[in-house]
Amino acid sequence: MLLSEILKDWPCTVSGSIGMSVRGITERSGNVREGYIFVARKGAKDDGLCHLQEAIESGAIAIVVDRNTTINIKIPDNITIIAVPDGRKFISYVSSKLAGDPSESLTIIAVTGTNGKTTVTHFIGQLLNMCGKQAAVIGTTGIFSNGRKISMEVPEMTTLPAEFLHPLLKGCLHAGMEYVVMEASSLGLSTSRLDHCIIDIGVFLNIGVDHYEEHGSKQSYLSAKKKLASIAKELVVNADDEQCMALVHNSKRPTIYFSETMITDVKATDGLYFTAIPGRHNRMNALAAVTTLSSLGFDRMELLSLCQQLQLPEGRLQRIEESGVTVYIDYAHTPDALHNVLSSLRKECTGGLITVFGCGGDRDHGKRPMMGEVAAAFSTQVIITSDNPRNEDPLRIIYEILMGIDDMSPNIIVEPDRKTAIERAVFEAKDGDVVLIAGKGHEKTQQVGQMFFPFSDSRIAKEALQNKKFEIN
Ligand SMILES: CC(=O)N[C@H]1[C@@H](OP(=O)(O)OP(=O)(O)OC[C@H]2O[C@@H](n3ccc(=O)[nH]c3=O)[C@H](O)[C@@H]2O)O[C@H](CO)[C@@H](O)[C@@H]1O[C@H](C)C(=O)N[C@@H](C)C(=O)N[C@H](CCC(=O)O)C(=O)O
Ligand SMILES: Nc1ncnc2c1ncn2[C@@H]1O[C@H](COP(=O)(O)OP(=O)(O)OP(=O)(O)O)[C@@H](O)[C@H]1O
Ligand SMILES: N[C@H](CCC[C@H](N)C(=O)O)C(=O)O
């Protein structure tokens, strides 16, 4: 596509030629190829302008800036400089255009909420497949085509940046997909990753505590989520969640509601309370999925019966059982998630309930003491450990978790090494006990500083259970 055609409908100031052909757009200097536009955005940690040389040497034909600034290197005459008001919105617009606006030809469902996005997107994908439809699912656990995981070179993010999303949607279209179900994270929405993606249905699950600090405030977090209500053509909303209801309050979009007992006029409990999915919150997730498909015209009663076959995604209440001890791996990394999971496990557990968890570094501090409080309230023993410390001191994170726990609480253990913490929980568990290992679910690495070390909660738990079995025998 010619640069002139890309720029004709977008506010910009151009210095240089607009007659050349554009082959791609990126804000990552390392991803620039021959014929690309490089958007030199300033971020929280870095500045694209510091990487111009790499972009130019890799074949950039145009440099985009979105702020008043001076460029400190000599730009070759054949490279066009474009000034736009907002680099992120520009990337979204151009990425969609270069891919041929694939979202126009797909039915796209975007799911937002503090907890349950991955689960609900997978449930929707599975139900669509059961109804004979071709569906792709995109989110935290990767990209799936009709339930099969596809390996692709895209960043491991919940909501893909537009420069990766639109080429992927184009691929989905070529592969014969009719539906694409994706997660809409608050950060994805606020950073314009979905701005030029045509979304048919926006699903609102719940609002809890997470990411407030990354957004600056709870209000900004809510505003980010609210953006989906203006982008999507139709909405599906959890009527039991007051904050979700407030978010869509002034929306003019056609909206269908679901609640614990009802999907519009159908009694939800009839089909769902017999489902094999563990956890009350997962039955809510199934309801969200059923409601979404019913808004697309599928038969609700048939959908409710199909719920029997739904499978949780990897690392969501994943059960491992050995020698009388049951271990659950779960991705609960917010207070609400931990509360939901622990209250479900409390009901099924006849013996002790041992919880191993930590909190991620460089993420919301507010949720840490709240998660400590919940873990202590529901467990017979809590082992507080590290999650992904990232650039924070693991002991400092643990200290903040402990701030939510009464000094007098018995059975609180601190073990900063996550592998040792899991092993200890498994070895100490008695016949009939349940061990919950929360926070990292499907993750295959642990991030310490800038390093990613191989790490899998389920692998470590399985090994510990095997070792325990040998010791017992
Ligand atoms: C909040 C957010 O959108 N952050 C993303 C954003 O960071 P930033 O704006 O601070 O950018 P920066 O790192 O300062 O870099 C500035 C610019 O220099 C460029 N650069 C930088 C280095 C280089 O060598 N070359 C180069 O061109 C960068 O590409 C960028 O354009 O742009 C970076 C580069 O494109 C992303 O790596 C980074 O996401 C990182 C991976 C991240 O951790 N994001 C998380 C917080 C996130 O988005 N999570 C949500 C899920 C949250 C939820 O559960 O709800 C998600 O959707 O994944
Ligand atoms: N509807 C729900 N309400 C509360 N908690 C939930 C709900 N669904 C799932 N959870 C909890 O949240 C955890 C994460 O679930 P899931 O991965 O589906 O959410 P998510 O919104 O995609 O998370 P993230 O985007 O932060 O990765 C689950 O392991 C479970 O503990
Ligand atoms: N999407 C969430 C996942 C958190 C998972 C937890 N293991 C952590 O690292 O905090 C985030 O990026 O905040």
Side-chain angles (χ1 to χ4, degrees):
M1 182 178 274
L2 291 179
L3 183 58
S4 54
E5 201 181 326
I6 289 174
L7 297 180
K8 73 179 167 33
D9 295 322
W10 200 257
C12 59
T13 315
V14 182
S15 160
S17 164
I18 52 169
M20 61 278 229
S21 184
V22 176
R23 301 182 61 184
I25 184 166
T26 181
E27 61 166 26
R28 291 158 170 80
S29 54
N31 287 3
V32 173
R33 301 285 175 268
E34 206 58 52
Y36 269 50
I37 299 174
F38 175 61
V39 179
R41 203 174 51 72
K42 185 171 170 49
K45 293 199 292 282
D46 212 325
D47 189 337
L49 284 179
C50 301
H51 302 279
L52 284 184
Q53 198 60 47
E54 184 185 15
I56 292 167
E57 283 167 10
S58 303
I61 50 157
I63 307 288
V64 174
V65 280
D66 62 0
R67 59 202 185 279
N68 267 336
T69 183
T70 40
I71 297 178
N72 288 329
I73 65 162
K74 167 96 183 85
I75 305 290
D77 292 342
N78 60 338
I79 290 182
T80 302
I81 307 286
I82 304 163
V84 298
D86 184 325
R88 281 174 160 146
K89 287 186 192 302
F90 183 70
I91 294 181
S92 269
Y93 173 69
V94 179
S95 302
S96 174
K97 237 177 145 50
L98 286 175
D101 296 315
S103 62
E104 283 177 8
S105 311
L106 291 157
T107 298
I108 298 199
I109 300 154
V111 180
T112 201
T114 308
N115 302 300
K117 297 181 292 296
T118 305
T119 309
V120 173
T121 50
H122 280 260
F123 282 179
I124 294 173
Q126 288 169 25
L127 287 174
L128 284 166
N129 291 156
M130 287 182 227
C131 293
K133 301 294 177 191
Q134 306 276 321
V137 173
I138 307 172
T140 310
T141 52
I143 299 159
F144 296 79
S145 163
N146 292 330
R148 199 165 43 85
K149 191 161 179 177
I150 306 287
S151 152
M152 292 194 76
E153 279 205 20
V154 295
E156 281 185 18
M157 295 172 92
T158 298
T159 303
L160 284 180
E163 64 187 77
F164 300 98
L165 176 66
H166 292 283
L168 174 61
L169 294 179
K170 183 179 174 183
C172 289
L173 203 53
H174 285 171
M177 295 293 140
E178 302 159 82
Y179 295 87
V180 173
V181 196
M182 64 167 101
E183 297 184 45
S185 69
S186 56
L187 287 163
L189 286 161
S190 70
T191 57
S192 299
R193 294 177 210 163
L194 298 180
D195 275 18
H196 291 273
C197 182
I198 296 170
I199 294 168
D200 295 275
I201 303 186
V203 183
F204 286 78
L205 298 178
N206 48 56
I207 300 293
V209 181
D210 208 4
H211 301 300
Y212 291 175
E213 283 163 37
E214 289 131 279
H215 284 279
S217 65
K218 179 177 179 184
Q219 202 43 53
S220 309
Y221 175 72
L222 293 176
S223 304
K225 296 267 178 212
K226 193 171 178 171
K227 203 168 162 186
L228 184 60
S230 55
I231 302 178
K233 292 185 201 160
E234 284 181 37
L235 308 179
V236 167
V237 180
N238 178 359
D240 294 341
D241 190 294
E242 277 177 27
Q243 298 194 79
C244 277
M245 291 297 276
L247 283 187
V248 301
H249 179 62
N250 289 322
S251 167
K252 304 268 183 296
R253 304 286 193 254
T255 303
I256 303 192
Y257 300 94
F258 63 97
S259 81
E260 197 163 9
T261 48
M262 302 289 280
I263 315 168
T264 52
D265 54 337
V266 172
K267 202 158 169 252
T269 46
D270 289 348
L272 272 173
Y273 277 100
F274 301 104
T275 160
I277 318 164
R280 192 172 131 194
H281 57 286
N282 283 322
R283 287 193 283 272
M284 249 340 234
N285 291 338
L287 274 180
V290 166
T291 311
T292 304
L293 263 77
S294 78
S295 78
L296 287 165
F298 293 87
D299 180 76
R300 279 171 287 194
M301 293 317 282
E302 194 188 329
L303 291 167
L304 282 171
S305 67
L306 291 174
C307 284
Q308 304 291 342
Q309 298 167 50
L310 289 175
Q311 305 276 330
L312 284 168
E314 185 188 0
R316 276 70 180 163
L317 280 180
Q318 187 180 330
R319 186 183 164 107
I320 312 166
E321 207 171 342
E322 186 70 66
S323 310
V325 175
T326 307
V327 175
Y328 281 98
I329 311 292
D330 188 81
Y331 202 43
H333 55 265
T334 69
D336 284 344
L338 201 56
H339 181 273
N340 275 286
V341 167
L342 281 170
S343 53
S344 296
L345 294 183
R346 196 59 279 170
K347 276 184 208 139
E348 85 157 55
C349 157
T350 49
L353 179 51
I354 306 172
T355 302
V356 181
F357 87 103
C359 288
D362 303 336
R363 294 289 187 273
D364 208 90
H365 291 241
K367 70 178 178 180
R368 295 174 186 173
M370 297 167 83
M371 287 177 71
E373 187 181 353
V374 171
F378 282 91
S379 320
T380 45
Q381 186 176 73
V382 183
I383 306 184
I384 305 176
T385 188
S386 303
D387 190 290
N388 293 306
R390 301 194 178 85
N391 298 300
E392 284 193 63
D393 174 1
L395 291 178
R396 177 79 211 167
I397 300 174
I398 290 173
Y399 172 76
E400 289 179 31
I401 294 170
L402 284 167
M403 294 300 281
I405 302 176
D406 192 329
D407 284 347
M408 305 301 285
S409 275
N411 303 331
I412 305 292
I413 294 166
V414 169
E415 173 45 73
D417 183 80
R418 191 171 179 96
K419 181 169 184 280
T420 311
I422 295 171
E423 288 167 348
R424 181 164 180 180
V426 169
F427 283 116
E428 288 185 8
K430 292 184 290 301
D431 206 2
D433 286 355
V434 168
V435 177
L436 170 68
I437 304 167
K440 285 177 63 62
H442 63 283
E443 292 178 358
K444 300 286 183 282
T445 57
Q446 183 175 41
Q447 188 186 355
V448 182
Q450 297 305 313
M451 303 285 283
F452 289 83
F453 298 97
F455 198 100
S456 156
D457 282 356
S458 65
R459 191 182 49 77
I460 292 166
K462 279 177 193 158
E463 281 169 9
L465 281 166
Q466 281 303 317
N467 292 341
K468 186 181 171 90
K469 188 174 144 191
F470 288 131
E471 269 185 26
I472 293 170
N473 293 331

